[in-house]
Amino acid sequence: MKVNVKNSPGFKVVFTGFLAIVLMIPLVMVRGLVRERESRREEAIQEVSSRWGHPQKVSGPVLVIPYRHTYVEKVDGRNVTRTTVENAYFLPETVAVKGSLVPEKRSRGLYEVVLYSLRDLAVSGAFTGPNFGKLGIAGDRVLWEQAYVAVGIPDTRGIPRGVTMKWNGRELPFHPGVKNAGIYRNGIHAPVPGLRGAARGRFEYSFVLNLRGSSSLNFFPMGKDTSVEIDSTWPHPSFTGAYLPSKRRVGDDGFRAHWEVSHFGRNFAQEFAGGEVPSQEELDASSFGVRLFMPVDFYQKCERAVKYGFLFISLTFLAFFLFELFNGLSIHPFQYLMVGFAMCLFYLLFLALSEHIGFLPSYAIASCAVMALITGYSAKVLGTHRRAGAMFGLLFGLYSVLFVLLENEDYALLMGAGILFAILAGVMYLTRNVDWYRIRLGHREAETAVDG
């Protein structure tokens, strides 16, 4: 008897598998679109931040004192003495920071950007007198009159008005830039007088800083003991960096966080000179602070959903194949392809709606629309409304599982593995009595009974 290869289960499995792989092309395109839209959002954030203030990292203050450095080098076989001006850096004994972070949202097209203002950030503490003996530098080489205090601020455009420092009771204005202080790239500085011969002295300082920034705020532990206390009305803080707050309170009305950090946790000394200046990487490794977390990041959820696309298409094709197997149907590959395209369209609808109405409503609308489309199509393809209802139940289960996986990232792998095991066990049970060598699809007389 002549066997029609196209009606053999093996051919249908291979061909539908090929269709599922082909449908990876639109899934990859949707994933690329997700990344493109996410990139546009980042561009919007950068554009707004550039006009308000980038993420800020407040560092300092540091006492910078220039000195003359003399060395000898050979030039044409002769010893030549040269003199350059280097900087010595002295970090404070104590740094205490306290202030309020006032957040606000700004929109750029479809995208929201979190900005903030630091209101009356009070910075205070004390320096001990600079001891050049520890650095092996003679006192007569020190340029005391050029001493200044530098404060590192990466984006000084966020400073709305002038800043004045109290230095042992004297008011000293800050000026733009950090002069030639190699420890900081950007910031402000204030010349300080009266340091000559003050190795055993103590210098108290304080200043109030108002600062604008976006997304995150960080600090550096520049003192032997550094204390930072920040409160805000933002309800979704993400504490980042090398240190977590020693005390914190987070609620719907905002947060309050308090850090206590000693100098033992950083990789640079309390005083250094010349080539001993810590690198930016060393400074960043010791920073700590808070990021204003946006709790609904639908782009990440869209991308995670697309990762399950091939699996969901394959499971839906498997369900149609089982209908063919047990009901004597013959479903054309084109009909499989239409169902696959409908499932791919879910991710595009989900992405497009998420940008306007958020994650939950967009997921509900997109999944219901696709389920209704495939169920209505299945009523004709599968021949009865009962079978179409069974297909609806399968799709409802799949999209319910996907929703749970997206909402519970920590348990996604465990849940996914368990669900796949259950599906495989069910398919193996249903097909345990099928004689795969004799069965042909699309012929009711070849329909195989399933034992209870």
Side-chain angles (χ1 to χ4, degrees):
M1 183 178 67
K2 187 177 181 180
V3 178
N4 188 348
V5 176
K6 293 182 180 180
N7 288 332
S8 69
F11 175 81
K12 183 57 68 75
V13 169
V14 172
F15 197 80
T16 53
F18 172 75
L19 289 180
I21 294 174
V22 169
L23 289 169
M24 285 294 293
I25 297 174
L27 287 178
V28 170
M29 294 173 67
V30 171
R31 193 172 181 181
L33 183 60
V34 172
R35 293 178 177 177
E36 178 189 341
R37 302 297 290 184
E38 190 172 18
S39 176
R40 288 189 180 182
R41 184 190 64 175
E42 292 302 319
E43 290 175 2
I45 292 175
Q46 290 297 322
E47 183 177 352
V48 175
S49 299
S50 66
R51 300 177 182 179
W52 178 265
H54 286 106
Q56 299 284 15
K57 292 185 177 182
V58 180
S59 179
V62 173
L63 179 60
V64 184
I65 305 178
Y67 67 95
R68 289 188 299 271
H69 173 61
T70 303
Y71 62 97
V72 177
E73 67 175 0
K74 281 189 175 294
V75 179
D76 298 330
R78 295 181 300 117
N79 290 332
V80 178
T81 301
R82 300 194 184 278
T83 301
T84 61
V85 175
E86 305 284 349
N87 287 330
Y89 301 89
F90 299 89
L91 306 188
E93 287 291 305
T94 59
V95 178
V97 180
K98 185 175 182 179
S100 296
L101 187 152
V102 181
E104 62 176 291
K105 292 183 180 180
R106 296 283 180 92
S107 296
R108 181 67 174 174
L110 297 173
Y111 309 107
E112 283 190 333
V113 182
V114 183
L115 307 176
Y116 63 80
S117 298
L118 276 174
R119 302 279 178 83
D120 297 331
L121 185 74
V123 183
S124 61
F127 286 90
T128 56
N131 188 347
F132 280 87
K134 291 183 178 180
L135 300 175
I137 300 171
D140 58 353
R141 295 184 177 275
V142 179
L143 305 176
W144 296 101
E145 66 281 2
Q146 298 182 26
Y148 61 95
V149 167
V151 176
I153 300 172
D155 191 355
T156 54
R157 293 174 301 172
I159 303 176
R161 54 182 176 269
V163 185
T164 300
M165 176 177 64
K166 284 188 177 181
W167 179 266
N168 268 8
R170 297 181 60 178
E171 291 194 353
L172 306 174
F174 275 103
H175 303 286
V178 289
K179 298 183 72 173
N180 60 341
I183 190 171
Y184 299 142
R185 297 175 183 173
N186 297 295
I188 54 179
H189 76 280
V192 290
L195 293 182
R196 184 182 295 274
R200 297 182 180 277
R202 180 179 174 87
F203 301 91
E204 295 185 351
Y205 67 88
S206 66
F207 59 90
V208 176
L209 180 67
N210 289 277
L211 187 64
R212 296 194 300 256
S214 60
S215 301
S216 65
L217 172 66
N218 283 273
F219 298 90
F220 294 89
M222 303 307 286
K224 270 191 176 179
D225 295 298
T226 302
S227 170
V228 176
E229 183 175 335
I230 297 294
D231 63 76
S232 175
T233 56
W234 186 257
H236 307 292
S238 176
F239 300 110
T240 60
Y243 308 94
L244 291 175
S246 54
K247 298 177 183 178
R248 67 175 185 175
R249 180 191 61 80
V250 180
D252 294 336
D253 59 341
F255 73 88
R256 179 184 293 274
H258 186 206
W259 290 265
E260 291 283 352
V261 181
S262 78
H263 67 300
F264 291 108
R266 68 187 192 214
N267 195 32
F268 48 92
Q270 192 67 12
E271 58 274 314
F272 44 86
E276 300 175 352
V277 175
S279 66
Q280 190 62 45
E281 290 73 19
E282 289 178 307
L283 289 173
D284 289 338
S286 64
S287 68
F288 60 91
V290 61
R291 180 169 66 92
L292 304 184
F293 177 69
M294 291 286 283
V296 180
D297 192 347
F298 47 80
Y299 288 118
Q300 290 184 5
K301 290 186 176 181
C302 285
E303 185 166 359
R304 287 178 55 209
V306 173
K307 293 178 181 178
Y308 294 98
F310 178 76
L311 175 62
F312 278 31
I313 290 172
S314 300
L315 292 176
T316 306
F317 282 5
L318 176 61
F320 275 97
F321 175 77
L322 292 177
F323 276 116
E324 286 192 81
L325 182 64
F326 294 122
N327 295 282
L329 302 175
S330 182
I331 302 176
H332 195 275
F334 181 80
Q335 294 171 314
Y336 277 95
L337 195 61
M338 289 297 98
V339 172
F341 277 136
M343 299 197 72
C344 291
L345 189 60
F346 160 77
Y347 302 101
L348 188 60
L349 287 172
F350 179 32
L351 173 62
L353 291 170
S354 293
E355 294 185 329
H356 296 275
I357 60 176
F359 167 69
L360 185 58
S362 62
Y363 188 92
I365 293 173
S367 58
C368 288
V370 171
M371 284 190 290
L373 179 62
I374 296 178
T375 301
Y377 189 65
S378 300
K380 284 294 184 180
V381 173
L382 301 179
T384 67
H385 290 288
R386 181 177 59 84
R387 295 168 187 164
M391 180 56 65
F392 174 81
L394 171 68
L395 293 172
F396 182 82
L398 287 177
Y399 285 113
S400 298
V401 167
L402 179 60
F403 178 80
V404 175
L405 291 175
L406 295 180
E407 287 290 281
N408 297 274
E409 184 176 0
D410 293 340
Y411 298 97
L413 180 60
L414 178 61
M415 293 175 60
I419 291 167
L420 284 178
F421 180 83
I423 291 172
L424 178 60
V427 172
M428 292 174 69
Y429 178 81
L430 288 174
T431 59
R432 70 193 186 283
N433 293 324
V434 172
D435 187 347
W436 296 99
Y437 286 103
R438 298 182 58 186
I439 193 168
R440 287 188 297 156
L441 301 177
H443 295 268
R444 291 185 181 277
E445 62 270 22
E447 192 174 308
T448 303
V450 179
D451 291 342

